[in-house]
Amino acid sequence: MASQTRARTTTFPGAHRSAAKTAGHWLLASVGKKVLRPGGRETTHWLLDRIGIPGRTVVEFAPGLGITAREILARDPRRYVGVDSDAQAVKTVSAILPAGDHQVIEASAEHTGLTAGCADAVLGEAMLTMHTDRRKLEIMREAARLLRPGGVYAVHEMGLTPDDLSPETKDEIRKALARSIRVNARPLTIPEWVALADEAGFQVTDTYCTSMSLLDPRRVIADEGVLGTVRIIGNVLRRPEVRRRVLAMRRVFTTHRDHLLGVGIILTRTAD
Ligand SMILES: C[S@@+](CC[C@H](N)C(=O)[O-])C[C@H]1O[C@@H](n2cnc3c(N)ncnc32)[C@H](O)[C@@H]1O
């Protein structure tokens, strides 16, 4: 029994931490949730359809469990490079790479060590939001450095709405998110995302907004399928501490649903 438990709980990143302390995304991964981004698969597909993958070099920041990596690889890139700061994530995604010029490296997205101008497209989902605005900018600048001129950076993150949301409400939402997901999540309004992108050397080409419904039944079924959803519910019900955490996260998302968004943004690298 003990070895079964170990087998089940060591296959996802963050498994070494207790359910009370682990970051919300790894907690959800531990119960079988695969899609860990605010705008769900619909936003991922919207982005993938716009970055021109076949025959190109694609760098993915923070592939996590490798769900989007699989979709990128299925679209036949010339080269795929994943960059994740979590060693277990690197192992997980490396295991799904097909033969070819593909790799996953353990590095921070702000200092990848990859060659300047090596990428036609960079994609990053659910990773900028968890950093300070200064770190967000560093990561976006690294994306700009990696891209050839005219290359695109596809971003999938958490947004705030409306654009003139008061600083007090933003602060309240950020604190509630940090308390429940145990990550210092700092979502931004669309103009705030655009301003950072501009500072990093990008022009916004297109944006997509949807609800932040990560834990809404309809979105979970759309992202995970019916069987996957049943499995997730069963796992949550079996683990009381996980159940408490998931319900607390869901409460925060529901309380602030009018102000939270899943956002997809296509950025084009401007010439130097
Ligand atoms: C919420 S998960 C998202 C995973 C995946 N992109 C998805 O949407 O399902 C966050 C991921 O970002 C990675 N990460 C966070 N900050 C990072 C950074 N500065 N550089 C590289 N990876 C980072 C974490 O290790 C984790 O795999």
Side-chain angles (χ1 to χ4, degrees), residues 94-110:
S94 297
I96 64 160
L97 295 182
D101 192 11
H102 309 302
Q103 66 178 141
V104 186
I105 58 171
E106 185 180 339
S108 296
E110 53 273 41

Side-chain angles (χ1 to χ4, degrees), residues 25-26 36-37 62-64 84-86 107-110 125-126 130-131:
H25 48 281
W26 296 144
L36 306 173
R37 44 222 115 110
D84 205 295
S85 52
D86 185 283
S108 296
E110 53 273 41
E125 301 181 285
M130 62 172 66
H131 292 292

